[in-house]
Amino acid sequence: MHEFDFVDRAQSNGEKYVLRSKLFGNDEVIPMWVADMDIATPACVMDAVRHRLDHPVVGYEIMRERAYDAQCEWVERHHGWPMRSEWLSYSPSVVASIGCAIRAFSEEGDEVIVQSPVYPPFYDMVRSNNRRLVLNPLTQNGSGEYRVDLEDLRAKITPKTKLLFLCSPHNPVGRVWSREELIALGNLCLQNGIVIISDEIHSDIVFPPNIHLPLASLSPEIGENTVTLLGPGKTFNMAGFSISTVAISSQGLRERYRAQQHKVHFGEGAVLSHVAFEAAYAQGEVWHAALINHLRANRDMIEQWCRLHPIIGFRKPQGSYLAWLDCRALKMGDRELRDFFVMEAGLGLSAGLSFGKEGSLFMRLNFAVAHEILERALEQLSQALKRNGHG
Ligand SMILES: Cc1ncc(COP(=O)(O)O)c(C=O)c1O
């Protein structure tokens, strides 16, 4: 089997597959929603886990220093940020880290800024922790590129604003933020005493010539005001190992964060995850380079398809394996649009509206699949459009 061939995940209880009937009303749709890949996890990760299972005891274990070092070396090699292992805390999930960060750095009733449209748990975590959600919607320039609206942000800051969530690269719009944008945002938050929670889980899926810049690397002051969330889940398709890290260079913020994490007893996680994490960062380089080529070819396939079907608006994502399809020209409502994708095209995508109201009439397509699956999905969409008079 070639590294990026089709893998059947229906039998292994893959969420993207087993929830199809519940979400889309049938089991036939090609599932292109949850942000994991229908691509085999790297052999170096699986081999390391198998090897660990040769030992007869799976007890409580702690993360080895070597594992954290492997992640630091990866981050420095790929993103030029000399992240240090003593800044890191283990976390079972980036979303769980967001919950802890909210509690560590704000009080009930405080305001948290979220840049919509965005990964839905950002909203849920603010609301379920009884903080006030303040939206700073992204804007689109004339050519459809999404930008941070600094003026709107400035106008929305109050003495109760304590946190801003940055999604970098951005899910779902696919932006890899530029140095200028990040510095402007970082400085504005710094001047107003707002801690930035920078979710960089998609940072290793970036297409040249774009480069991911860790927010915390941009100046010592911004670094001291940033909580960076990182993990191998997206990069190496190993979300099921439930392991990620939180990098905080400021001692004060780190202590506050860790005190909160202690209260919910994250502990050190599971030994097989430790092993998988270390193998991925230490040995995953060649696999990762091939992955980026594979995903880039898929992204370009979508772009070519959209050129032939201009009714669907598309800007190539600079990062992530998520295509943000602008379906406004189809002149359907959100419900109708979703039904069209499911019933006419046989595709299970994420509805744009689920990322916030700015996502209305968009659909998010996860293209981390084998080439032939993407070809089939696009062909099904072509046929559906043709039948609806958009051929
Ligand atoms: C921006 C972003 N953050 C976090 C997550 C989930 O991270 P975890 O599974 O570690 O909670 C996702 C998954 O799609 C994501 O897109």
Side-chain angles (χ1 to χ4, degrees), residues 204-226:
D204 297 316
I205 313 284
V206 166
F207 305 107
N210 304 288
I211 47 170
H212 170 74
L213 297 166
L215 177 72
S217 72
L218 296 181
S219 78
E221 296 76 18
I222 292 175
E224 288 285 291
N225 191 46
T226 301

Side-chain angles (χ1 to χ4, degrees), residues 272-336:
L272 296 183
S273 306
H274 301 168
V275 166
F277 177 101
E278 182 178 336
Y281 285 118
Q283 302 166 42
E285 200 67 64
V286 173
W287 182 89
H288 174 258
L291 172 74
I292 296 298
N293 285 336
H294 176 84
L295 294 177
R296 184 159 53 170
N298 277 1
R299 180 192 70 156
D300 295 347
M301 193 193 296
I302 297 174
E303 192 195 29
Q304 277 175 10
W305 183 92
C306 286
R307 281 216 199 105
L308 298 173
H309 301 82
I311 190 91
I312 306 284
F314 177 66
R315 277 190 70 89
K316 284 201 289 192
Q318 298 168 324
S320 86
Y321 44 71
L322 307 164
W324 186 234
L325 304 177
D326 180 347
C327 302
R328 287 176 289 190
L330 287 174
K331 304 263 180 268
M332 296 176 185
D334 280 295
R335 187 64 195 266
E336 198 187 348

Side-chain angles (χ1 to χ4, degrees), residues 34-36 92-96 98 119 122 167 169 171 199 201-202 234 239 243-244 322 364:
V34 179
D36 65 7
S93 123
V94 165
V95 177
I98 291 174
Y119 179 58
F122 280 22
C167 192
N171 169 13
D199 178 343
I201 194 171
H202 292 278
K234 304 289 171 209
I243 187 164
S244 63
L322 307 164
R364 192 192 75 172

Side-chain angles (χ1 to χ4, degrees), residues 54-265:
D54 288 342
H55 189 282
V57 180
V58 181
Y60 290 122
E61 300 203 4
I62 57 165
M63 279 272 269
R64 292 198 253 201
E65 263 316 302
R66 279 218 302 277
Y68 288 122
D69 289 345
Q71 191 190 38
C72 291
E73 285 158 20
W74 175 280
V75 167
E76 181 152 21
R77 238 180 8 257
H78 285 260
H79 310 307
W81 179 33
M83 184 173 87
R84 302 230 298 263
S85 60
E86 60 269 28
W87 299 345
L88 299 180
S89 306
Y90 158 83
S91 167
S93 123
V94 165
V95 177
S97 316
I98 291 174
C100 274
I102 291 177
R103 287 161 174 257
F105 307 122
S106 67
E107 303 290 332
E108 289 203 4
D110 283 344
E111 292 162 5
V112 180
I113 296 187
V114 171
Q115 299 177 309
S116 48
V118 78
Y119 179 58
F122 280 22
Y123 305 113
D124 302 339
M125 295 312 284
V126 175
R127 291 199 186 103
S128 61
N129 282 288
N130 300 324
R131 272 55 170 177
R132 276 202 53 222
L133 182 66
V134 176
L135 297 183
N136 167 224
L138 301 175
T139 52
Q140 280 185 284
N141 67 13
S143 60
E145 183 174 66
Y146 282 90
R147 312 288 306 221
V148 172
D149 187 343
L150 282 179
E151 230 157 84
D152 176 73
L153 175 58
R154 221 172 263 119
K156 290 194 171 149
I157 293 173
T158 76
K160 289 200 94 60
T161 315
K162 296 291 157 48
L163 288 170
L164 179 140
F165 292 172
L166 175 69
C167 192
S168 174
H170 190 93
N171 169 13
V173 310
R175 271 303 312 279
V176 171
W177 305 111
S178 69
R179 181 179 295 276
E180 293 69 32
E181 288 170 299
L182 291 171
I183 288 181
L185 182 71
N187 284 337
L188 183 59
C189 288
L190 200 56
Q191 285 151 16
N192 289 280
I194 300 167
V195 172
I196 302 188
I197 310 301
S198 188
D199 178 343
E200 303 190 10
I201 194 171
H202 292 278
S203 56
D204 297 316
I205 313 284
V206 166
F207 305 107
N210 304 288
I211 47 170
H212 170 74
L213 297 166
L215 177 72
S217 72
L218 296 181
S219 78
E221 296 76 18
I222 292 175
E224 288 285 291
N225 191 46
T226 301
V227 172
T228 307
L229 311 180
L230 293 162
K234 304 289 171 209
T235 314
F236 302 104
N237 205 26
M238 47 182 274
F241 280 110
S242 274
I243 187 164
S244 63
T245 56
V246 181
I248 310 179
S249 64
S250 149
Q251 191 183 343
L253 293 185
R254 193 165 62 241
E255 280 170 7
R256 282 163 70 189
Y257 176 83
R258 283 187 178 160
Q260 196 56 50
Q261 188 166 293
H262 184 72
K263 287 188 194 168
V264 287
H265 193 74

